[in-house]
Amino acid sequence: SDAGLEVTAHPVPGYPTSLWKSGDVWRGQHAILLPPSLPAGRYHLRLSAGGDGSLLLGQVDLAAPEHLWSPPETTFLEDVTLGELATLVGYTMPVSATVGEEIVLQLTWRVEAETHSAYKSFVHLLDANGRLIVGSDAVPAAWQRPTTGWVAGEYITDPHMLALPADLSPGRYLVQTGLYDSLSMQRLLAGDDRDTILLHPLDVTP
């Protein structure tokens, strides 16, 4: 590919070369975050220690995901932006279900900005007192589209499955969603400082 990426890093993180002694053998591991806009193709992996020369380490075949640039149809429309990352533009879900049933809610996010942070999305079913009944927390798009690979302007379809307990009491239940940092567990906030988006309620029947 004609595209490329250059990363500058210490040979062994945490152990500067000033501490090296003759005869030492060091192993350095590096995690490289590939830009989400990097095109698919075959890339050459080279190592350079300065100067004009470089050492060819091997080749990497990069597969890029398909990007959706138009919003898919949804049952419900929304317009809530969380942080600077994404806007929930709509979702599809049943409005009623029976106890013990498995239901699928599909969220649609519009990416507002690229990020180096790994966020997870969640869908929670709550009773009238705010008690969690069942939930789904996952890397978006069924673990297939981590937020570190999101491209500004694209749409992400993000399904979540909820298995209703067989002993769940019939009634109306609240459904909420959001995004949180998988390391800090900090949720992204909406403009009114909410850390969740309330979806259509779910009526559970016997």
Side-chain angles (χ1 to χ4, degrees):
S1 174
D2 293 331
L5 171 68
E6 181 175 322
V7 177
T8 301
H10 294 290
V12 181
Y15 292 91
T17 55
S18 59
L19 298 179
W20 292 12
K21 298 178 181 179
S22 178
D24 284 351
V25 177
W26 294 98
R27 179 183 179 185
Q29 291 182 308
H30 301 275
I32 299 175
L33 181 61
L34 301 178
S37 57
L38 200 62
R42 175 163 292 180
Y43 292 82
H44 300 288
L45 185 62
R46 292 184 175 275
L47 175 67
S48 174
D52 298 329
S54 64
L55 174 65
L56 179 62
L57 300 180
Q59 296 182 146
V60 177
D61 290 322
L62 177 64
E66 293 186 9
H67 299 288
L68 181 63
W69 301 109
S70 300
E73 292 187 5
T74 57
T75 306
F76 299 96
L77 296 178
E78 277 287 352
D79 185 18
V80 181
T81 302
L82 295 179
E84 298 179 352
L85 177 61
T87 299
L88 182 69
V89 297
Y91 60 94
T92 297
M93 62 168 284
V95 297
S96 64
T98 58
V99 294
E101 184 179 350
E102 293 184 350
I103 64 171
V104 175
L105 296 86
Q106 180 155 290
L107 312 170
T108 299
W109 304 98
R110 183 180 66 237
V111 181
E112 306 297 347
E114 296 176 7
T115 181
H116 290 172
S117 299
Y119 290 91
K120 287 184 177 180
S121 61
F122 66 87
V123 173
H124 292 165
L125 184 74
L126 310 173
D127 66 14
N129 296 318
R131 183 174 64 94
L132 178 65
I133 302 301
V134 65
S136 168
D137 294 50
V139 173
W143 297 83
Q144 298 301 306
R145 292 299 312 276
T147 57
T148 51
W150 286 9
V151 177
E154 74 168 320
Y155 292 84
I156 305 293
T157 55
D158 182 22
H160 288 261
M161 190 274 289
L162 299 179
L164 304 183
D167 58 354
L168 186 62
S169 299
R172 172 160 289 191
Y173 290 84
L174 304 177
V175 183
Q176 64 181 17
T177 187
L179 295 164
Y180 67 90
D181 189 303
S182 58
L183 293 179
S184 69
M185 306 300 289
Q186 188 72 33
R187 291 181 180 180
L188 288 177
L189 300 180
D192 55 3
D193 289 338
R194 289 179 296 159
D195 64 2
T196 60
I197 302 172
L198 193 63
L199 305 182
H200 194 282
L202 179 71
D203 290 322
V204 177
T205 59

